[in-house]
Amino acid sequence: MQQQQRCGRALDFALGGAAAAGACVLTNPLEVVKTRMQLQGELRARGSYPRLYRNAFHALALIGREDGLLGLQKGLGAAILYQALMNGVRLGAYSRLEALGFTREQGGRVSPSCSIAAGAAAGALGAVVGSPAYLVKTHLQAQSAAVIAVGHQHNHQGVMTAFLTIYRQQGILGLWRGVTGAVPRVMVGSAAQLATFDSAKQLVKDQQWFSNDSWLVGLTGGMMSSVAVVITMTPFDVISTRLYNQPVDEVGKGRLYKGFWDCLLKVSCKEGILGLYKGIGPGYFRLGPHTVFSLLFWDELKKLAYPDYRQKI
């Protein structure tokens, strides 16, 4: 019995990681675009710098022309690793809390407040575990041909080279530089995503738009959830990208920002409140499908893995 429970817990983590990694392959080009747009005009007032990337579609064409089509999949290996680690832990932990009844009221219905708390706790844990991979992903996605370069260029040769370089120059703690921005980012995004996904699925079932075990329930829930995620998460996403990509001194301290609050204040003061929403366009086009695909894949994988899951949803 205990062995079955351990296998079940391991499977929960594996399903969450597999679902997010699969979604990542489809949405990584927009993650590259979002990262570039969040870094352009760093700590400069609006209108005082040339806008290399005017919008998501222009950025896709520009990167494809200057960096080549493979440039649109920069950092894919690190991105998949991050999604597998972070979302494997995040969705797996949330599934465990869900199975233990922490996300539901006494009558069995979803409790929004408990779902938010569980999603935030699971997100914080996932952010810490996945932080080194997110650091490397951001460095690689920011790298580009000089003519379209924005932000600091770390010039890594690949995923493993990046990990080794950071470790040799900054030590093991250097791999977790920027985690202070990642934890609130993922906590907010996770709470918004998982709470609204559960509530949206409940709404869809209550309205009887589809049969309860239809994949369209998960798809519709994911589409509704993605809007809430993008609106709440973008400012934290901008701060996280800046903290991860900033240059560091000889002892590994950031040259531009001291931490989360320092970055928030500097961006707000120098770039305006809208600076915290840089990249929201590609952010939605990327995060929307990623949320839909990852939550849909997660829902469908759980149906395959657990025969009784159909009766629980």
Side-chain angles (χ1 to χ4, degrees):
M1 186 66 174
Q2 288 182 343
Q3 185 176 0
Q4 287 181 335
Q5 288 177 339
R6 284 196 294 270
C7 290
R9 286 193 290 268
L11 185 57
D12 282 338
F13 286 83
L15 292 177
C24 177
V25 175
L26 301 175
T27 60
N28 190 62
L30 287 165
E31 178 74 3
V32 173
V33 169
K34 175 187 70 71
T35 298
R36 303 281 181 86
M37 292 184 73
Q38 288 177 341
L39 290 171
Q40 75 173 345
E42 187 168 14
L43 296 183
R44 297 178 65 179
R46 289 173 63 84
S48 67
Y49 59 89
R51 290 181 62 202
L52 294 174
Y53 305 104
R54 294 196 291 272
N55 53 56
F57 302 106
H58 175 257
L60 283 168
L62 187 60
I63 294 169
R65 188 182 72 208
E66 298 295 337
D67 288 342
L69 291 179
L70 289 179
L72 292 169
Q73 285 288 14
K74 281 194 173 182
L76 179 61
I80 290 175
L81 177 61
Y82 169 71
Q83 292 295 338
L85 288 172
M86 190 276 285
N87 277 307
V89 171
R90 183 177 72 93
L91 297 178
Y94 186 82
S95 286
R96 286 292 88 203
L97 293 171
E98 196 175 37
L100 292 170
F102 286 122
T103 62
R104 296 185 179 272
E105 299 171 348
Q106 287 187 345
R109 290 180 64 86
V110 173
S111 169
S113 60
C114 292
S115 292
I116 289 172
L125 183 60
V128 173
V129 173
S131 187
Y134 195 94
L135 173 68
V136 170
K137 175 192 77 72
T138 303
H139 286 189
L140 293 174
Q141 289 177 339
Q143 289 181 187
S144 65
V147 68
I148 58 170
V150 292
H152 185 72
Q153 300 290 292
H154 293 271
N155 298 318
H156 300 302
Q157 298 303 308
V159 176
M160 290 308 300
T161 303
F163 276 115
L164 289 172
T165 299
I166 295 168
Y167 172 72
R168 288 169 181 165
Q169 292 178 352
Q170 302 168 38
I172 191 69
L173 292 181
L175 292 169
W176 270 267
R177 182 173 57 80
V179 73
T180 56
V183 170
R185 170 187 177 271
V186 180
M187 283 182 70
V188 169
S190 180
Q193 182 190 65
L194 295 174
T196 55
F197 182 56
D198 275 350
S199 298
K201 286 201 303 177
Q202 187 70 57
L203 174 65
V204 172
K205 288 186 288 185
D206 289 346
Q207 296 298 317
Q208 298 182 335
W209 293 343
F210 315 106
S211 62
N212 280 1
D213 64 346
S214 171
W215 62 272
L216 290 170
V217 173
L219 176 63
T220 307
M223 291 174 66
M224 293 178 177
S225 176
S226 65
V227 177
V229 173
V230 173
I231 292 172
T232 57
M233 195 174 178
T234 296
F236 297 91
D237 199 35
V238 171
I239 292 170
S240 188
T241 297
R242 299 287 182 86
L243 289 175
Y244 276 120
N245 195 66
Q246 69 172 327
V248 296
D249 60 20
E250 59 280 357
V251 295
K253 290 185 178 181
R255 294 184 181 275
L256 299 178
Y257 314 104
K258 297 176 183 176
F260 178 87
W261 293 109
D262 184 54
C263 183
L264 174 64
L265 289 172
K266 284 182 176 176
V267 173
S268 301
C269 292
K270 296 191 177 183
E271 302 175 49
I273 296 299
L274 291 180
L276 292 169
Y277 280 89
K278 281 185 175 178
I280 192 172
Y284 177 75
F285 289 125
R286 175 260 169 192
L287 194 56
H290 183 87
T291 299
V292 171
F293 288 134
S294 60
L295 293 178
L296 176 61
F297 292 166
W298 185 44
D299 226 31
E300 293 303 307
L301 286 170
K302 286 198 290 185
K303 289 178 187 177
L304 293 173
Y306 302 115
D308 61 340
Y309 180 67
R310 293 176 183 269
Q311 279 74 48
K312 293 179 181 179
I313 58 177

